[in-house]
Structures are given as structure tokens and as C-alpha cells.
Amino acid sequence: MKTTELDQNPVREFDAQAASFLVRDLRRVYASGKTRDYGWRVSQLRMVEKMATDCEKEIYEALRLDLNKPEIESFVHEISLTKASCQTMLKELKHWMAPQKAKAPLTVFPASAEIVSEPLGVVLVISTWNYPLLLSLDPVIGAIAAGNAVVLKPSEVAPATSTLLARILPRYVDSSAVRVVEGSVSATSLLLDQQWDKIFYTGNATIGQIVMSAAAKHLTPVVLELGGKSPVVVDPNTNLEVTVKRIASGKWGCNNGQTCVSPDYIITTKSFAPKLIEALKQTLENFYGNDPLNSKDLSRIVNLKHYNRLTRLLDDDKVCDKIVHGGQKDEKRLSISPTILLDVPLDSLIMKEEIFGPLLPIITVDDIEESFDLISSRSKPLAAYLFTMNKKLEQEFIGTISAGGMLINDTALHLTVHSLPFGGVGGSGMGNYHGKFSFDAFSHKKAVLHRGFAGDASARYPPFTPKKKAILKALVIGDLFGLILALLGWPRT
């Protein structure tokens, strides 16, 4: 199959031969050196930013079709962050591309050392459906900035956005080096069969294992942006009014809970829980009214499969009587109202699986410090949150809890700070990106040592006399005084 045929219809005609030809063509383009050029990188980044502006209405419509995402949420969480990513790269790229000086030890004197950032080559980005624009383009932006040729595989679970990206991205960027492949799971499998220089995957841990296994066949490095059950610890010593608004915003205002860093469950004290629940109820009513299923400010569940999964969590015999707020469902509209549950068993399904939806369990403890042991006994989360005015508790939380990222007195906002790395640890992922970390994720840090022909020391070459041995020993351990003595032929006493 010809490359032009692949361009015209990537969904129907993408097969094993097309996958092989695609990678071959991209390797040829990368070998030409065009993607390494600073000017090429800048022009591509500017055009991605322009695309996000020019196609704003089309993006709104695609996100509405896929998730019924409110326009303001689409702009704040997807379009603006995509543009901000481009702007960060454009501002810093020349500095990041410049070789970094490194110290050269006495053993190699005279010499100079540097670290050169070079692109990895041809990379694959496999995106997910909950933020189908941002989580597709943000890694691609990093790959372009680092000088790679890249293939983007958008999620088929968000078909409108996938189709939109396949249609508009080639109009703005160099389609010989940046390609979009649509398709179902079979297309992803065909891509994973190929040899890449890096694979960047965003999604769940189950598929992450498949991606890592496929990459291992070619010793391909991976970045896995996964998820997990991100806890929120609420200390009674907090500003309750602000706390509940920020929890509600991070849980239901970010894709109705369908977010990797969404608050998954709350831990608070038994005595404080009633106040917290009452305040959350009032906040939810203020945000979404008395009939949240009809609110225009809530996204819907992405599809029937995920709706049924969430319903199964609610219908579990262990938790069905634990609902203290919400629980309304509308299968026809794929809607579930913001739902709060109190003291669900830790062995229930809702506490074993990542929720990824509008359900929020609250677990109570006698003392807030007990929350640390509870969190630490579970898989390491992608994010961990603490609300408190107690600075000592804050420092204990930071020092004790292992998580991909952490936020004190708010939720989710840390992923918008491009000077911070974003990524998981343990079961929540490996590797990170955003800003400079995206550039680094798609770069190889090449060590370069420069030496001239002067100053060649005879002591490094055999035969090794006692004097040469003394010189070499002094050089290796950095003993300047011992080196002087050895050069003078004086024994060290």
C-alpha cells in the first residue's frame, strides 16, 4: 500500500504492511536531518499553537460529541493548556537545545566536557480519551521540540476528536514527519509490533503492561502515564469553605471525575466527617443545582461501557447503602450525578478500582495521622492531596507519602505548572513530562568529552614503573599533593 493511500484513509486501510511502511518512511525523513533543525521545530510548534486557535469551534464540537464537555472546561483544560505548552517550548527551546557544560576531573586534564541533547528518532504517542486533545498534543509537542519524527495514535474511545486530529493536524504541521493513525485496538497492536525509539502511553495500568511488554521486545524505552486512586486527606484544622470548593472543582469540575488526578477518595476524622459532607452537599447544589443530571456544567460518562462499570461500583452489596448524597443515574444520557459515599469497606470494588467517574467515597479515621498508614498500604497514587493549616502535618505528609505528584490545599492544579514534572511512580506510571521534562522525555543526553593532543601523560601507558603507579593512584583519587610528590619522585611518608 502506498503512503498516499495511508494518508487518505488511515482507518480502513491500516494494516501490518502499512504500519511497517509508515515507520520506514518516518525513519527516512528523520535520517534526512530536517527534524533536528531548530527552525523546523519552531515552525511546527507555532503551527500547532495556531491550529488550537483557528480550530477552536471545531474542537469544542468534537469534545461535546465525545464527552458533552462544557465549552469553558474544553477551553481551560484542553485548548489553553495545549497553547501554553507550545508557548513554553518556543520560549525555552534554544536554551534547552544548547549543550550543557559539565565538569571534567583531573584524570582527563586537559579536557572539557558537555552534555548534548539529541532527539531519540522516531517515536510513538498513544493517547487516551478523557482529555483527547490535550493528552494527544502535549506529548507530540514535546516530541517535536526535541527534534523527533512522531506518530500519534489518538483514542478510538473519543472518535470525534480522533477524527478531527487526523483531519486538521496534517493541514498545520509537516505531515512527512508528524503522522496521525486512527483506528481501534488492532491499529494500536500493529503499531506496537513496530520498532520505535520511544513509546509514550497515557491510559490505564492494564494496557500499560501490554505496551511495556511490546516495547521490551525491541528494548524500547517507555513513558507510562497511568492513574491510580488519588487520596485527599482533610484535616479538621482547615478552611472548610475553600476546601470543599476545591475538592468539588477537582473531582466534578474536571471531566466529572474522569481525570487521572481526580480525587478518588477522601480520608478525614469520624468527628469531622458530618461537617465535611454537609459542606460538600451545599457546594454541589451551588455548583450544579438541585437536578445535576440536567446541569450544563457537567460532562457525561464517555460511553455505555464505562457507565456500566460505574453502575457496578455503586450496585455492589457492600456499598449500596453507603450513599449519603447523589446516586441518580440516567443510562440514556450516560449521566450519573455527583455521588458521595461514607465509610465504604476497604475491600469493596469502589476502593479497589480507580473510580474515574463522579463517585467519591469518604473513609473515616480516629486521628488524621492514621491516613498516612492507609495511603502507604495501597498502590502508589498518581497524585496525593492534603488540606490543612497545620504546617507540621503538611511536612509529615510530604515526607511520608509517596506519589507521582502532590498538592497542598488544592487539587489537580499542579499539572498546569510546566516547571514541575508530571508523572507517576510505581503502579501509577514511570517517566514524566510537561515543559522541560517533555523535551527531556524525548531526548537522549549524550555525553561528550573533548581533548586535544597536548599534555599526553606517559604515566597512563605501560610499562608501569613505581613512579607511574604513584602518579596514577594520586590522579584517580584526586590527591593533588600526592600527585606533586609523585611527579617529583618523592615517596609519600
Side-chain angles (χ1 to χ4, degrees), residues 3-239:
T3 305
T4 53
E5 292 172 340
L6 177 61
D7 288 341
Q8 291 169 358
N9 203 335
V11 179
R12 289 199 306 268
E13 299 188 22
F14 195 77
D15 54 21
Q17 186 181 39
S20 177
F21 285 175
L22 172 64
V23 177
R24 182 202 63 189
D25 290 346
L26 286 172
R27 291 206 178 280
R28 186 180 68 247
V29 171
Y30 177 73
S32 73
K34 68 186 296 186
T35 65
R36 295 171 179 255
D37 179 68
Y38 171 75
W40 182 89
R41 303 186 203 192
V42 167
S43 67
Q44 304 308 299
L45 293 170
R46 284 176 177 159
M47 291 306 290
V48 173
E49 182 183 6
K50 185 174 188 302
M51 181 186 76
T53 299
D54 293 350
C55 303
E56 188 171 314
K57 290 184 178 179
E58 293 175 88
I59 293 168
Y60 286 151
E61 178 61 13
L63 294 173
R64 185 192 67 80
L65 289 171
D66 285 333
L67 290 150
N68 198 33
K69 191 170 286 196
E71 278 195 10
I72 187 62
E73 198 174 319
S74 297
F75 180 79
V76 172
H77 297 160
E78 304 234 28
I79 295 173
S80 70
L81 290 179
T82 298
K83 293 165 72 172
S85 182
C86 290
Q87 290 161 6
T88 299
M89 296 293 178
L90 287 167
K91 181 180 178 181
E92 302 290 349
L93 184 57
K94 184 168 285 188
H95 170 65
W96 293 342
M97 287 177 64
Q100 298 174 292
K101 289 187 177 181
K103 290 183 178 180
L106 186 61
T107 51
V108 297
F109 179 85
S112 62
E114 63 182 3
I115 301 168
V116 176
S117 292
E118 66 176 9
L120 291 169
V122 179
V123 302
L124 172 64
V125 172
I126 304 173
S127 186
T128 190
W129 54 264
N130 57 331
Y131 292 87
L133 180 84
L134 176 67
L135 297 184
S136 292
L137 293 181
D138 205 1
V140 169
I141 289 165
I144 289 172
N148 299 276
V150 55
V151 171
L152 167 64
K153 170 58 180 70
S155 174
E156 68 277 6
V157 181
T161 308
S162 175
T163 299
L164 178 66
L165 285 169
R167 180 168 58 84
I168 65 174
L169 197 57
R171 294 192 338 223
Y172 285 85
V173 300
D174 181 352
S175 59
S176 73
V178 182
R179 304 288 289 273
V180 181
V181 173
E182 283 196 277
S184 61
V185 174
S186 61
T188 305
S189 297
L190 290 169
L191 289 170
L192 286 174
D193 285 339
Q194 308 306 309
Q195 184 168 359
W196 305 90
D197 296 302
K198 191 151 198 177
I199 299 174
F200 189 109
Y201 168 74
T202 305
N204 63 60
T206 301
I207 305 302
Q209 291 175 331
I210 295 172
V211 170
M212 195 169 181
S213 178
K217 295 176 184 176
H218 300 292
L219 296 179
T220 300
V222 297
V223 172
L224 301 179
E225 293 295 339
L226 308 178
K229 297 184 72 65
S230 298
V232 184
V233 176
V234 181
D235 179 23
N237 182 14
T238 190
N239 182 320

Side-chain angles (χ1 to χ4, degrees), residues 38 85 106 159 169 191 209-210 251 265 292 329 349 359 362 366 378 455 488-489:
Y38 171 75
S85 182
L106 186 61
L169 197 57
L191 289 170
Q209 291 175 331
I210 295 172
K251 177 66 174 180
Y265 63 101
K329 304 185 290 289
L349 288 174
L359 319 179
I362 296 177
D366 292 322
R378 308 170 77 83
L488 293 174

Side-chain angles (χ1 to χ4, degrees), residues 106 470-472 474-475 479-488 492:
L106 186 61
I471 292 171
L472 288 174
L475 278 170
D479 180 5
L480 184 58
F481 181 65
L483 176 62
I484 294 172
L485 291 177
L487 289 170
L488 293 174
R492 181 157 192 160

Side-chain angles (χ1 to χ4, degrees), residues 367-427:
D367 298 307
I368 203 66
E369 286 81 2
E370 293 177 37
S371 64
F372 294 7
D373 291 335
L374 177 57
I375 296 169
S376 297
S377 68
R378 308 170 77 83
S379 181
K380 294 179 180 181
L382 182 58
Y385 306 112
L386 170 67
F387 287 86
T388 186
M389 291 191 286
N390 184 333
K391 288 296 181 182
K392 181 180 178 183
L393 184 69
E394 178 180 326
Q395 290 306 312
E396 289 176 355
F397 187 77
I398 294 170
T400 303
I401 302 302
S402 179
M406 193 168 282
L407 212 168
I408 309 299
N409 295 330
D410 213 324
T411 61
L413 284 181
H414 61 297
L415 61 80
T416 68
V417 181
H418 282 142
S419 59
L420 291 174
F422 179 76
V425 58

